[in-house]
Amino acid sequence: MKGKKRIWLLFMAAFMLLIVSACSKKDKVEAEQPEPSDIEEEVIQEEEAVDEPDEDAEGALLYQSPFTGELQEEKQWRRPILATINNHPLARPQSGISEADMIFEFLAEGNVTRYLALFQSELPEQVGPIRSARDYFIYMAKGMDAFYIAHGYSPDAQKLLTSRYVDHINGMQYDGTLFKRSKERRAPHNSYISGEHIVEAMDKMSGHESIEKMPSLAFHDSVESAKIGDTASELVVRFSTNQDFISTFTYQPEEGTYKRSVKGTVTIDKENGEQIEVSNVLVFEAPHRTIDSVGRQAVDLEAGGKAILFQAGIVKEIEWKNIDGFLTPVENGVPVELVPGKTWINIIPTTSGIAKAVTYTP
C-alpha cells in the first residue's frame, strides 16, 4: 500500500511540473508578442515614412512640386496643362511664360519655333498668344496626361484632336468665348486664354482635373550640390541661321539661374514684366523630317539620344529618354538630377546636332 501511494505522489509531482513548464512557456511567448496597438503604430510609422513631406525651419510641412522640385506649403494636385505659345517676333513678349514649370521649344516650320509651356505648380492669369497644334505637341500632351491648349491645327493634328486623342480646348471652336483676341496685335498673333477660362475648359472638356501621372524627374537638394563639371557661364542655342531664333542663356551666380535673351533683348513676361529665369537649360537631339511643301516637321519623341545639360554654371553631356511619356534627361540610364526651379528644353534636329547648334563659354 505504501508503495502504491509513493508511485501516485511521484506521478502527481511530474504532472504539476509539466503544467508549470507549459504556463512558463506561454507567458514567455505572450511577453514576446507586441500589443495590437504597438503593431498598428509601427505600420502607421512605416506608411508615414514612405510619403513624409519635408519641413521648413518652423516645422511647417512642405511638398515637392513634381516638375520643378521646389518645396511648397500646399500640395498642388492640378493636372498638367500644355499650351502651344506663339514665338514669332510679332508675338513677343509672351504672356504667362514666367509661371511655366517647363518650356519646350520646338521647330514648327519655316525655321520658326514655338513653345510648349507646361503649367502645373502655377497657373497664370493670362496665357498667349496661343498658336496652332502640331501632332508632336499632341503626342507630348498624351504622354504627360496633360490638358492641351491650342488655336488652330495642322492636318495631322486636326485628325488627332477630332478623334479625342487627348483632352483639349482649341480656339477654332471657342474664338471669342474662351479665347479672346487682343486689340494690340494682329492675327494670328493675338489669341489669348485666361487662367479662369482654362479651369472652365478643363471642367467642360476633360475627364479629370487632378494630376494622375507623375514625371520620372530627379532633383538636387540645392544648386550647390550641382556644381560638379566644366564651367559654362553662357550658352547659345541655334535653331537656324535666323537671328530671331537664336537664344542666349547667361548664368547669374548670385541667383543660381539663367536669363534668356534673343538678339540682345531679354525674354520677359508681358503680363508682369518679369525676366525669364530658369534653373536648368537642356538641349535634346531628336530626329526631324520635313513632311510637306510648307515645311511642317515630323519629330520622333520616342528615339531618345544625345543631350546636354547646363545648370549651376556648369555643363554636362548626357542623354535623354522617353520614360513613360516624359522626355527625361538621363545619365547611365537613370534620371539626371536637376536644380530645383524652372527648366527650358530645346528640341533640335539631329541633322544639325548639338555640336553645331550649341556653343558655350566658361
Side-chain angles (χ1 to χ4, degrees), residues 67 78-82 118 120 138-148 165-167 202 206-214 324-326:
F67 292 97
R78 183 186 298 110
R79 184 182 186 182
I81 296 160
L82 269 182
L118 186 149
Q120 197 277 327
I138 299 170
Y139 293 138
M140 283 278 291
K142 181 69 172 181
M144 294 182 175
D145 188 35
F147 184 75
Y148 179 57
Y165 183 72
V166 291
D167 293 332
M202 290 179 69
S206 70
H208 61 279
E209 299 174 33
S210 300
I211 187 169
E212 295 185 354
K213 190 176 182 181
M214 302 298 286
D324 195 24
F326 295 93

Side-chain angles (χ1 to χ4, degrees), residues 50-69:
V50 171
D51 191 27
E52 187 175 357
D54 293 319
E55 294 183 356
D56 64 11
E58 298 178 356
L61 297 181
L62 298 173
Y63 300 91
Q64 189 177 60
S65 174
F67 292 97
T68 69

Side-chain angles (χ1 to χ4, degrees), residues 24-54:
S24 176
K25 288 181 180 180
K26 181 182 179 183
D27 290 342
K28 184 178 181 181
V29 170
E30 288 180 349
E32 291 174 351
Q33 294 294 324
E35 294 294 325
S37 58
D38 294 336
I39 297 173
E40 290 171 3
E41 185 177 350
E42 288 174 7
V43 171
I44 291 171
Q45 289 175 348
E46 289 176 4
E47 289 176 350
E48 288 178 347
V50 171
D51 191 27
E52 187 175 357
D54 293 319

Side-chain angles (χ1 to χ4, degrees), residues 240-254:
S240 69
T241 56
N242 188 333
Q243 296 293 315
D244 286 321
F245 302 97
I246 298 177
S247 305
T248 300
F249 295 87
T250 306
Y251 185 60
Q252 314 294 311
E254 293 183 1

Side-chain angles (χ1 to χ4, degrees), residues 47-356:
E47 289 176 350
E48 288 178 347
V50 171
D51 191 27
E52 187 175 357
D54 293 319
E55 294 183 356
D56 64 11
E58 298 178 356
L61 297 181
L62 298 173
Y63 300 91
Q64 189 177 60
S65 174
F67 292 97
T68 69
E70 294 178 313
L71 299 177
Q72 300 179 324
E73 292 183 359
E74 294 184 7
K75 194 167 187 176
Q76 296 295 330
W77 292 103
R78 183 186 298 110
R79 184 182 186 182
I81 296 160
L82 269 182
T84 300
I85 296 182
N86 194 336
N87 190 36
H88 190 280
L90 295 176
R92 302 171 186 167
Q94 295 92 341
S95 296
I97 57 175
S98 66
E99 297 180 65
D101 291 351
M102 292 183 163
I103 292 182
F104 299 84
E105 186 169 359
F106 280 93
L107 278 171
E109 58 267 354
N111 289 325
V112 173
T113 67
R114 290 184 185 167
Y115 302 158
L116 269 188
L118 186 149
F119 303 99
Q120 197 277 327
S121 62
E122 301 179 81
L123 186 60
E125 291 186 7
Q126 190 88 331
V127 179
I130 302 297
R131 201 64 171 90
S132 58
R134 296 293 177 265
D135 57 348
Y136 42 98
F137 300 164
I138 299 170
Y139 293 138
M140 283 278 291
K142 181 69 172 181
M144 294 182 175
D145 188 35
F147 184 75
Y148 179 57
I149 300 169
H151 191 144
Y153 25 65
S154 66
D156 290 338
Q158 184 179 14
K159 292 177 184 176
L160 290 171
L161 295 177
T162 302
S163 70
R164 303 298 305 176
Y165 183 72
V166 291
D167 293 332
H168 73 281
I169 190 76
N170 197 286
M172 294 294 285
Q173 288 78 45
Y174 294 91
D175 198 353
T177 54
L178 296 179
F179 292 76
K180 301 293 185 180
R181 295 284 184 172
S182 169
K183 295 181 180 179
E184 298 178 6
R185 294 173 175 174
R186 293 183 299 174
H189 313 301
N190 64 348
S191 177
Y192 293 82
I193 186 169
S194 67
E196 182 180 353
H197 282 163
I198 290 174
V199 173
E200 183 180 340
M202 290 179 69
D203 182 58
K204 180 183 181 69
M205 309 298 295
S206 70
H208 61 279
E209 299 174 33
S210 300
I211 187 169
E212 295 185 354
K213 190 176 182 181
M214 302 298 286
S216 49
L217 298 174
F219 296 94
H220 287 282
D221 292 331
S222 68
V223 67
E224 295 301 321
S225 62
K227 293 180 177 179
I228 301 175
D230 296 328
T231 303
S233 60
E234 185 173 275
L235 64 133
V236 178
V237 181
R238 300 172 180 82
F239 278 88
S240 69
T241 56
N242 188 333
Q243 296 293 315
D244 286 321
F245 302 97
I246 298 177
S247 305
T248 300
F249 295 87
T250 306
Y251 185 60
Q252 314 294 311
E254 293 183 1
E255 293 83 9
T257 58
Y258 296 82
K259 292 185 178 179
R260 180 180 182 271
S261 62
V262 177
K263 294 174 64 175
T265 300
V266 175
T267 304
I268 66 168
D269 189 318
K270 183 177 184 296
E271 292 304 302
N272 54 30
E274 291 184 6
Q275 295 184 6
I276 303 306
E277 296 186 36
V278 296
S279 298
N280 310 279
V281 181
L282 286 157
V283 184
F284 293 169
E285 289 185 6
H288 286 54
R289 180 170 54 88
T290 303
I291 59 175
D292 59 22
S293 59
V294 179
R296 294 191 181 98
Q297 299 292 302
V299 181
D300 188 343
L301 300 177
E302 300 291 334
K306 293 182 180 179
I308 192 166
L309 166 64
F310 297 87
Q311 60 178 194
I314 63 97
V315 58
K316 182 183 293 186
E317 293 184 3
I318 57 170
E319 296 179 328
W320 71 273
K321 290 177 64 176
N322 186 319
I323 301 179
D324 195 24
F326 295 93
L327 306 191
T328 308
V330 298
E331 187 175 28
N332 300 322
V334 299
V336 172
E337 290 185 336
L338 300 175
V339 172
K342 302 178 186 303
T343 299
W344 196 289
I345 303 174
N346 307 270
I347 312 294
I348 65 168
T350 52
T351 51
S352 57
I354 292 171
K356 294 180 181 179

